[in-house]
């Protein structure tokens, strides 16, 4: 519906114009009325009508003077002039102000309908042309952005201005759904960032090869992203089923020149391709010097050297795991799997090559154990089932957990039945790995248990829950460092496994009754 404003100093005339035709049937709706020229000017500013029916002679400011002022102010709507005076002079003056039509009172309804029909056709054509123009400009803009991100296009200064690339810094982020099992993603990162970012031009969101790519322009949205990333890691992960819990981000480095945006894009893309290495519940990956080394080395090894590396890793890790399975050494199995995970992260192999390597390790372990324990029935998965699981796994930690569970299954089958020693093994693991990101969820699979069951037997044996015990170990280690060194408190927090120094302060004071600085002063 196009909007109409009716202006006449006589109320009965305005009422008559409102009811003389079925406005909605003609594609219009009456949004307001005015009784003098001043009201017309104010109403046009407030209502932005598409059409104004206006009487020439009105008090305060005449209809013609109101039209003249509105035209000078930039109003481009249609005017239909009404008057009881049909002389040419008024009509000629109205035409000079680009008036669409001139109708005499009393208004001929057929003539009014004819004029409105012509206006509606013009407005429809303009709207269609405007939409086509906007669509074209949007497509052209998106094409420039795609070319900029991929490095296929070198933008001119004018094109950079058109894309608002006049900021001090830029960052590219790939965003996709966190869960691989959900069809649709409920939340968009760009929408979450815009909630706290008033400038729409600082956030670009486009699709490239079916992937959602976001370009941040300026320090403000990048700072907001960093605040958001703090909720994705450390001691405060995103709340389950919250918007942040539904998305995964791969973030390129921050660059200071628009011409370097392709670098940030390439980095973010590389990280996304290596999401396989994410930990459980990890929602983001940030580009750094370490990831740069790993990613850049991937294609530097020859096929022969890769095969040699594969053969060595298969024999080494399968032998270590088989030996430790035979002696029921859970600690060594966990350590070996952790070493394997770290080695694969650094190995110059593609994701598919690493999955194939893990398949071969599993098959080698199975082959050796079948020979060693030929008199024992071990319920191994079929080769095809194991291959399918490993090849279709989204993450490396899932495969490592699978190998741990298989080791536990084998030990149970060949006679390992003691469950009490498992807590000693967990304690041993904590003592040697407290500085890393230990949680009950990611440690339980290493010992062949689910987190809920391991948590129960841990609490039952030690009389305290897993997190409390881990905190006590970390705080004890921190106290030792504070007593014998002058290392800064935030570094001490990192050394004992706390990524968030404020959280470290809270835990330390709860455990000791004083802050780390106070403790150092008292015990140094």
């Amino acid at each position: 519906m196009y909007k109409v404003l009716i202006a006449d100093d006589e109320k009965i005339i305005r009422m008559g114009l409102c009811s003389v035709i079925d406005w909605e049937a003609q594609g219009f709706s009456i949004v307001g009325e005015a009784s003098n020229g001043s009201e017309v000017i104010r109403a046009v500013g407030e209502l932005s009508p598409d059409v104004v029916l206006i009487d020439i002679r009105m008090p305060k400011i005449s209809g013609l003077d109101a039209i003249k002022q509105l035209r000078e102010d930039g109003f481009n709507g249609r005017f239909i002039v009404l008057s009881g005076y049909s002389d040419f002079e008024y009509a000629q003056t109205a035409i000079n102000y680009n008036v669409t039509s001139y109708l005499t009172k009393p208004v001929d309804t057929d003539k009014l309908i004819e004029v409105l029909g012509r206006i509606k056709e013009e407005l429809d054509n303009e709207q269609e042309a405007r939409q086509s123009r906007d669509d074209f400009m949007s497509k052209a803009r998106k094409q420039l952005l795609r070319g900029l991100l991929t490095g296929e296009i070198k933008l001119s200064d004018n094109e950079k201005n058109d894309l608002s690339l006049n900021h001090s810094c830029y960052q590219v982020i790939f965003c996709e759904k966190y869960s691989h099992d959900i069809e649709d993603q409920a939340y968009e990162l760009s929408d979450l960032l815009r909630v706290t970012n008033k400038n729409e031009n600082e956030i670009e969101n486009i699709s490239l090869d079916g992937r959602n790519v976001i370009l941040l322009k300026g320090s403000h949205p990048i700072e907001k992203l960093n605040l958001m990333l703090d909720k994705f890691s450390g001691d405060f992960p995103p709340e389950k089923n919250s918007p942040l819990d539904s998305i995964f981000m791969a973030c390129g480095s921050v660059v200071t020149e628009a011409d370097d945006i392709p670098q940030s894009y390439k980095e973010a893309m590389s990280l996304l391709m290596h999401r396989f290495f994410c930990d459980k519940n990890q929602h983001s990956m940030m580009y750094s010097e370490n990831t740069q080394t790993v990613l850049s080395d991937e294609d530097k090894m020859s096929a022969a050297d890769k095969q040699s590396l594969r053969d060595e890793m298969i024999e080494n890790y399968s032998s270590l795991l088989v030996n430790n399975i035979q002696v029921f050494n859970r600690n060594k199995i966990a350590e070996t799997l952790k070493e394997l995970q770290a080695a694969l992260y650094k190995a110059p192999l593609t994701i598919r090559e690493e999955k194939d390597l893990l398949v071969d390790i599993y098959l080698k372990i199975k082959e050796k154990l079948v020979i060693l324990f030929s008199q024992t029935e071990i319920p191994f998965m079929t080769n095809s089932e194991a291959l399918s699981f490993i090849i279709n796994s989204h993450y490396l930690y899932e495969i490592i957990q699978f190998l741990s569970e298989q080791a536990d299954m084998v030990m149970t089958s060949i006679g390992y039945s003691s469950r009490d020693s498992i807590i000693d093994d967990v304690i041993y693991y904590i003592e040697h790995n407290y500085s890393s990101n230990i949680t009950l969820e990611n440690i339980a699979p290493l010992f062949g248990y689910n987190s809920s069951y391991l948590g129960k037997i841990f609490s039952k044996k030690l009389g305290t829950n897993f997190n409390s015990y881990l905190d006590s170990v970390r705080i004890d280690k921190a106290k030792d460092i504070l007593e014998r060194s002058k290392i800064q408190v935030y570094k001490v927090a990192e050394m004992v496994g706390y990524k968030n120094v404020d959280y470290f302060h809270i835990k330390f004071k709860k455990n000791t009754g004083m802050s780390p600085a106070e403790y150092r002063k008292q015990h140094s």
Side-chain angles (χ1 to χ4, degrees), residues 2 122-140:
Y2 295 110
E122 291 174 358
L123 291 172
D124 287 343
N125 291 336
E126 288 179 6
Q127 190 176 61
E128 184 178 345
R130 186 165 53 251
Q131 184 63 49
S132 296
R133 184 173 63 255
D134 291 345
D135 289 344
F136 174 79
M137 293 302 293
S138 177
K139 289 178 181 177

Side-chain angles (χ1 to χ4, degrees), residues 35-193:
S35 61
N36 59 62
S38 297
E39 290 183 3
V40 171
I41 294 170
R42 184 173 63 254
V44 167
E46 294 174 354
L47 303 173
S48 300
D50 302 291
V51 181
V52 180
L53 269 73
I54 184 168
D55 187 11
I56 282 183
R57 290 187 178 274
M58 289 190 297
K60 295 187 179 180
I61 298 177
S62 71
L64 285 181
D65 288 339
I67 293 172
K68 178 182 178 183
Q69 183 171 330
L70 286 169
R71 287 300 190 213
E72 290 173 351
D73 292 343
F75 177 65
N76 295 318
R78 268 61 173 179
F79 285 107
I80 301 176
V81 171
L82 308 174
S83 179
Y85 303 91
S86 57
D87 55 292
F88 179 76
E89 181 181 351
Y90 283 114
Q92 183 66 46
T93 304
I95 290 171
N96 290 338
Y97 297 140
N98 192 23
V99 168
T100 302
S101 186
Y102 183 93
L103 301 178
T104 57
K105 296 179 181 179
V107 174
D108 184 328
T109 56
D110 291 337
K111 181 65 175 176
L112 177 58
I113 291 173
E114 177 189 337
V115 170
L116 291 173
R118 188 169 68 250
I119 290 175
K120 184 178 184 301
E121 184 178 357
E122 291 174 358
L123 291 172
D124 287 343
N125 291 336
E126 288 179 6
Q127 190 176 61
E128 184 178 345
R130 186 165 53 251
Q131 184 63 49
S132 296
R133 184 173 63 255
D134 291 345
D135 289 344
F136 174 79
M137 293 302 293
S138 177
K139 289 178 181 177
R141 195 172 189 279
K142 295 291 186 185
Q143 197 63 33
L144 283 177
L145 273 173
R146 290 188 182 95
L148 166 67
L149 289 166
T150 59
E152 297 172 0
I153 297 176
K154 185 76 171 179
L155 299 185
S156 66
D157 290 340
N158 287 336
E159 288 170 333
K160 290 177 183 177
N161 288 332
D162 290 341
L163 295 176
S164 300
L165 298 176
N166 50 5
H167 296 271
S168 60
C169 52
Y170 309 89
Q171 187 175 19
V172 177
I173 300 109
F174 277 83
C175 183
E176 60 185 23
K177 60 186 180 184
Y178 175 70
S179 174
H180 294 278
D181 302 322
I182 297 176
E183 288 288 333
D184 299 318
Q185 181 174 326
Y187 300 96
E188 294 285 353
L189 174 63
S190 55
D191 294 335
L192 298 177
L193 288 172

Side-chain angles (χ1 to χ4, degrees), residues 238-272:
E239 184 179 346
K240 283 295 180 185
N241 301 318
S242 67
L244 298 183
D245 189 47
S246 71
I247 59 179
F248 174 83
M249 296 181 293
C251 308
S253 60
V254 177
V255 296
T256 56
E257 299 293 336
D259 290 336
D260 292 330
I261 289 174
Q263 173 190 330
S264 184
Y265 171 86
K266 184 179 179 181
E267 294 166 352
M269 171 64 87
S270 296
L271 287 177
L272 191 66

Side-chain angles (χ1 to χ4, degrees), residues 440-451:
L440 192 58
E441 287 73 18
N442 64 28
I443 198 176
L446 295 176
F447 298 93
Y449 288 85
N450 65 54
S451 58

Side-chain angles (χ1 to χ4, degrees), residues 147-329:
L148 166 67
L149 289 166
T150 59
E152 297 172 0
I153 297 176
K154 185 76 171 179
L155 299 185
S156 66
D157 290 340
N158 287 336
E159 288 170 333
K160 290 177 183 177
N161 288 332
D162 290 341
L163 295 176
S164 300
L165 298 176
N166 50 5
H167 296 271
S168 60
C169 52
Y170 309 89
Q171 187 175 19
V172 177
I173 300 109
F174 277 83
C175 183
E176 60 185 23
K177 60 186 180 184
Y178 175 70
S179 174
H180 294 278
D181 302 322
I182 297 176
E183 288 288 333
D184 299 318
Q185 181 174 326
Y187 300 96
E188 294 285 353
L189 174 63
S190 55
D191 294 335
L192 298 177
L193 288 172
R194 285 193 176 98
V195 169
T196 56
N197 204 79
K198 295 180 180 179
N199 191 342
E200 290 282 331
N201 291 328
E202 291 182 345
I203 302 173
E204 299 282 359
N205 187 7
I206 66 172
S207 178
L208 261 172
D209 298 326
R211 293 189 172 91
N212 187 23
V213 186
I214 297 169
L215 172 62
L216 302 182
K217 298 180 288 186
S219 58
H220 187 260
I222 292 174
E223 288 170 2
K224 293 298 179 184
L225 173 69
N226 288 329
L227 290 174
M228 191 175 291
L229 286 174
D230 287 342
K231 300 179 181 179
F232 278 76
S233 58
D235 302 300
F236 305 102
E239 184 179 346
K240 283 295 180 185
N241 301 318
S242 67
L244 298 183
D245 189 47
S246 71
I247 59 179
F248 174 83
M249 296 181 293
C251 308
S253 60
V254 177
V255 296
T256 56
E257 299 293 336
D259 290 336
D260 292 330
I261 289 174
Q263 173 190 330
S264 184
Y265 171 86
K266 184 179 179 181
E267 294 166 352
M269 171 64 87
S270 296
L271 287 177
L272 191 66
M273 296 298 99
H274 287 73
R275 187 179 171 184
F276 176 67
F277 296 103
C278 282
D279 294 327
K280 190 174 184 179
N281 296 323
Q282 183 177 346
H283 286 263
S284 64
M285 296 179 76
M286 295 292 293
Y287 200 81
S288 66
E289 291 184 4
N290 290 335
T291 55
Q292 180 182 8
T293 302
V294 171
L295 300 177
S296 61
D297 286 345
E298 186 175 279
D299 298 319
K300 289 184 178 180
M301 184 174 282
S302 67
D305 289 339
K306 280 187 177 183
Q307 187 58 49
S308 176
L309 174 65
R310 279 173 46 82
D311 293 343
E312 181 182 343
M313 291 183 70
I314 292 168
E315 183 57 38
N316 181 36
Y317 286 103
S318 63
S319 297
L320 283 172
L321 289 168
V322 167
N323 290 337
N324 289 310
I325 287 172
Q326 291 181 82
V327 298
F328 309 118
N329 193 331

